[in-house]
């Protein structure tokens, strides 16, 4: 299994060119100004299936709410106890469940580790600064999800003539999720990262190289006085 989080805004904040009658001024479609983000916990399986995503709204009530709007240690603990373990229990049928997650400290508290050991769940954390190559959801799935989410928001706003509210978000997100996480895409996320089928050659050495500075010379826009210039 692979788990990761993705953030999305409840409105499209950019402008898009739209078709107008010839002779009229060019018009732009103004996206919604709502920049509040919602975090989704997405979980995929190497057999091509997914779990129902968990949405985290900014707030202080309900199961998946957080004052800051993203996953903390308490939400991660509740997620693995109340969502992941029950939802994967039957498929595991007593076998070891391997769960790949980012190496955030919120994912590896003593409570989470103890619970995982008790229920035969092995958590594998990705090394720092490597998820761009190793995390299948980042490499394959989320780019498609962002595009489908933008389309779903546009369609909703055009149909209902108002921005996506919190009460609307789950349905809009669900439409984009179903279009993004088909069986072929989910399997590709594990395949291209070499997780399943296991393939050491899937990750190329150049993908793991540290970032290199491309510019080492800076300058001021205006000529400075001698001490500053020196």
């Amino acid at each position: 299994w692979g788990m990761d989080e993705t953030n999305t805004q409840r409105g499209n904040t950019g402008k898009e060119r739209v078709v107008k009658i010839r002779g009229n001024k060019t018009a732009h479609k103004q996206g919604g100004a709502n920049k509040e983000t919602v975090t989704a916990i997405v979980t995929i399986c190497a057999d091509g299936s997914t779990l129902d995503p968990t949405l985290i709204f900014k707030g202080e009530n309900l199961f998946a709410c957080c004052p800051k709007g993203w996953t903390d240690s308490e939400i991660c603990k509740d997620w693995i106890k109340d969502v992941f373990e029950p939802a994967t229990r039957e498929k595991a049928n007593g076998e070891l469940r391997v769960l790949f997650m980012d190496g955030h400290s919120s994912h590896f508290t003593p409570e989470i580790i103890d619970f995982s050991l008790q229920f035969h769940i092995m958590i594998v954390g990705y090394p720092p600064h490597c998820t761009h190559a190793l995390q299948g959801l980042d490499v394959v799935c989320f780019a498609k999800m962002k595009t489908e989410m933008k389309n779903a928001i546009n369609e909703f706003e055009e149909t209902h003539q108002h921005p996506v509210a919190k009460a609307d978000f789950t349905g809009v997100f669900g439409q984009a999720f179903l279009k993004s996480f088909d069986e072929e895409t989910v399997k590709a996320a594990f395949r291209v990262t070499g997780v399943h089928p296991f393939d050491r050659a899937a990750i190329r050495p150049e993908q793991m190289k540290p970032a290199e500075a491309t510019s080492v010379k800076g300058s001021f826009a205006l000529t400075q006085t001698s001490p500053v210039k020196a």
Side-chain angles (χ1 to χ4, degrees):
W1 299 88
M3 174 274 233
D4 198 12
E5 304 161 25
T6 182
N7 297 321
T8 184
Q9 295 180 352
R10 289 199 284 116
N12 288 327
T13 57
K15 292 182 178 179
E16 295 181 355
R17 190 179 299 273
V18 296
V19 177
K20 287 285 289 183
I21 299 174
R22 187 172 60 183
N24 289 7
K25 293 182 178 180
T26 301
H28 293 85
K29 177 183 176 182
Q30 179 68 51
N34 193 328
K35 295 184 178 181
E36 179 182 326
T37 60
V38 179
T39 298
I41 300 177
V42 179
T43 312
I44 57 177
C45 182
D47 65 2
S49 63
T50 65
L51 299 187
D52 291 338
T54 297
L55 299 181
I56 304 170
F57 292 89
K58 186 177 181 181
E60 297 181 354
N61 295 300
L62 305 177
F63 167 71
C65 287
C66 175
K68 295 183 178 180
W70 57 78
T71 303
D72 56 21
S73 58
E74 285 300 313
I75 287 181
C76 187
K77 180 186 68 175
D78 291 340
W79 173 82
I80 199 167
K81 290 175 60 177
D82 300 331
V83 178
F84 179 77
E85 197 287 318
T88 60
R89 185 186 306 155
E90 182 177 353
K91 181 177 288 188
N93 193 27
E95 297 293 327
L96 178 69
R97 283 169 278 184
V98 180
L99 176 61
F100 288 85
M101 299 196 298
D102 293 351
H104 301 313
S105 58
S106 61
H107 296 165
F108 296 92
T109 64
E111 294 82 3
I112 292 173
I113 293 173
D114 289 343
F115 178 85
S116 300
L117 291 173
Q118 179 184 353
F119 284 88
H120 212 37
I121 299 170
M122 177 188 291
I123 299 178
V124 180
Y126 294 110
H129 313 299
C130 293
T131 55
H132 66 283
L134 303 181
Q135 171 59 273
L137 283 161
D138 283 342
V139 174
V140 176
C141 302
F142 285 158
K144 184 177 181 180
M145 177 72 201
K146 296 291 184 184
T147 300
E148 292 295 345
M149 189 64 194
K150 181 179 180 180
N151 293 338
I153 291 174
N154 282 336
E155 182 179 349
F156 179 91
E157 291 179 346
E158 290 174 0
T159 301
H160 299 279
Q161 295 299 304
H162 66 78
V164 178
K166 280 188 176 181
D168 307 315
F169 184 84
T170 301
V172 174
F173 181 90
Q175 293 178 24
F177 181 85
L178 292 175
K179 292 179 180 178
S180 305
F181 287 85
D182 55 83
E183 181 177 338
E184 181 180 352
T185 301
V186 172
K187 286 183 176 180
F190 289 93
R191 184 178 66 254
V192 301
T193 52
V195 175
H196 182 80
F198 181 67
D199 180 10
R200 292 182 182 274
I203 306 300
R204 303 184 304 278
E206 54 267 28
Q207 291 178 274
M208 294 292 101
K209 287 183 178 180
E212 297 179 356
T214 57
S215 176
V216 294
K217 183 178 180 180
S219 62
F220 290 101
L222 301 175
T223 302
Q224 303 299 308
T225 57
S226 296
V228 176
K229 187 175 182 180

